[in-house]
Amino acid sequence: MMFTFRTGVRNSATPRAVPFTVFITFCIFGKKWVKPSGFDTGLKTYNSLTKQKEPLVLAREGVATWYSCGPTVYDHAHLGHACSYVRFDILQRILSSFFGVTIVHAMVITDIDDKIIRRSWEENVSPAVIARMYEDEFKKDMLSLKVIPPAVYLRVTENVHHIVLFIDRIIRNGHAYATKEGDVYFDIQSIGDRYGRFAGAVESQGEAGSSSKRDQRDFALWKQSKPQEPFWESPWGRGRPGWHIECSTVASCVFGSQLDIHSGGIDLAFPHHENEVAQSEAYHQCDQWANYFLHSGHLHLKGSAEKMSKSLKNYITIKDFLESYSADEFRMFCLLTKYRSAIDYSDSSMSEARSSLGTISTFIHDAQAYMKGQLQCSAVQEDLLWERFAETKSAVLKALSDDFDTPRAVSALMNLVYHGNCQLHPVSMPDGGVRSPAVFGAIITYIREVLEVFGIDPLYRKEADVLSSSGSLQAVVEQLTHFRSEVRAFALTRQDDSTTGSSKKPGLYPDRIPLLKACDSLRNDLAPLGVLIKDRGATSTWEIKAGQRGQDKGQETSS
């Protein structure tokens, strides 16, 4: 417990002293995290503030306030961005669907920044034009990846008046100062040992800035405008906001002095989130502004230790990616690693994601064929499947309750698919035993429900891919398959014993064998065209496989 305090933290614009009661409160609590009181969601999540898993407790029952840092809109969004936003979208979907929590999500769009200004000079247009163009592209990219939009997007430029008032109050509370040049800096020393909750903060040398800074760690809240830069009026002169202050202000405008969850990429933990916490708690004079910080791991190109980023020019844009893979495949790619972990991107890792989706899709198709009576199987071990089904539901919920462990949840689903496939052994002739369609109906319904929570539909059919050339394509394939099945059934008819005069098992009529070969040839010729026919004894089922290019392709229409 520390009671030392300074009684005259100067402000070069307006000298003031730090109130004794405020500073002593800061020092007593220091960096200690206090478990919130309120509604326990029933799950634990890794909190970057404590470096361990904590019970997720919300201030209001059934509602989570969630703030996330949005993009700086000066260029196309890439897979590194997509990875973070898709992962947190999945977490929000899980929290909502599995744990009954309504997410109130706000995101800020940084539409004024050094990079935006430089890009505007290069393109010879205003920064506002650059920002709006790439903001629109970002939103379209997110929709193409099936990311649920936040309840509200807020732009920095539309909140500058709030930012000015926010900075002014921090100054009046004794935690920031203006320089003679017209810059405003946060005073790190004024909050004692409260600074340094995230890794790297203690060793930091701070950001570059005016020589008038009191401490090299002090960071800019307001920047004096330079020639040819956009500016806003303020008590400290013309200028624009610093990077960190925008998030503190916008989040506080929406959620006030208490925030349940704050999310972002791990690279934002320091200095961005560190500085957000310092500013917000200095403004609100509170001891714990955000209760939980969730950080996603970096996306790396396989074989590279560096994260994917624009500055390193080692990125793949979302638009380019979706020329080769679907949104569902990218979501499965994200699900196969924990959201906090770094993730390697490569063709092989995407192939694994595609293969997993394909395995699930094929099982659902086969199970539906069994339910329709199109797939004849030997007797199913129904009790075993019901048991595996119950175990899977429990395992999935347990995994998601443990820091949103999606790899473990997906593994449980794949295990259920495996046991289901083990029971679907096609036979040429049914044995007349009791069928068990209900258990397969329960399994495929559950699998689809879980995947839909993750934002994936394993049987999604994109009309533009499957039906654009003709609205009757499915009907044509249905009729073709039906005709082929009748021909096969005729060709598979075995000779009667009395006809052959032999004691051996009756065989096929020799003159009908060419019909079977013709049916096989038709099946093989249609496969490259995306029509997959599967022979189930004397009956057949079909699928239309869309191409692998474009959003949500590679899915199926089937019967």
Side-chain angles (χ1 to χ4, degrees), residues 26 107 316 392 419:
F26 273 31
M107 178 185 292
I316 301 169
T392 300
H419 286 289

Side-chain angles (χ1 to χ4, degrees), residues 323-502:
E323 287 295 313
S324 301
Y325 300 101
S326 72
D328 283 354
E329 288 165 345
F330 186 72
R331 283 179 166 266
M332 179 58 77
F333 165 74
C334 292
L335 288 164
L336 293 176
T337 57
K338 293 183 178 180
Y339 76 94
R340 291 191 290 116
S341 302
I343 183 170
D344 286 334
Y345 173 81
S346 65
D347 287 338
S348 62
S349 58
M350 285 307 305
S351 294
E352 179 185 0
R354 176 176 284 174
S355 175
S356 297
L357 279 179
T359 298
I360 294 171
S361 179
T362 299
F363 165 71
I364 291 176
H365 176 262
D366 290 348
Q368 288 176 331
Y370 174 81
M371 293 180 70
K372 292 176 184 179
Q374 297 172 333
L375 173 57
Q376 306 295 337
C377 292
S378 53
V380 168
Q381 294 178 281
E382 187 172 349
D383 290 344
L384 176 63
L385 282 183
W386 282 119
E387 182 181 341
R388 293 285 183 262
F389 175 55
E391 290 173 352
T392 300
K393 292 179 71 174
S394 176
V396 168
L397 184 60
K398 185 176 180 180
L400 299 180
S401 300
D402 183 13
D403 194 30
F404 307 97
D405 193 341
T406 57
R408 190 147 51 101
V410 171
S411 177
L413 288 182
M414 298 304 292
N415 190 50
L416 180 61
V417 167
Y418 167 76
H419 286 289
N421 277 328
C422 287
Q423 300 297 319
L424 295 175
H425 294 301
V427 294
S428 297
M429 297 297 293
D431 57 10
V434 177
R435 299 180 68 254
S436 306
V439 67
F440 285 101
I443 289 173
I444 63 177
T445 298
Y446 174 72
I447 290 174
R448 291 189 67 175
E449 286 175 349
V450 174
L451 291 180
E452 283 168 6
V453 170
F454 296 156
I456 294 173
D457 184 350
L459 296 181
Y460 181 81
R461 171 168 51 91
K462 189 173 180 183
E463 299 295 331
D465 297 331
V466 180
L467 300 177
S468 58
S469 60
S470 172
S472 61
L473 176 59
Q474 292 180 72
V476 171
V477 175
E478 179 69 40
Q479 289 299 321
L480 176 64
T481 306
H482 179 69
F483 174 76
R484 180 179 173 277
S485 294
E486 288 191 336
V487 172
R488 286 188 73 253
F490 175 74
L492 288 170
T493 303
R494 296 186 177 275
Q495 302 180 64
D496 194 339
D497 287 350
S498 60
T499 303
T500 61
S502 171

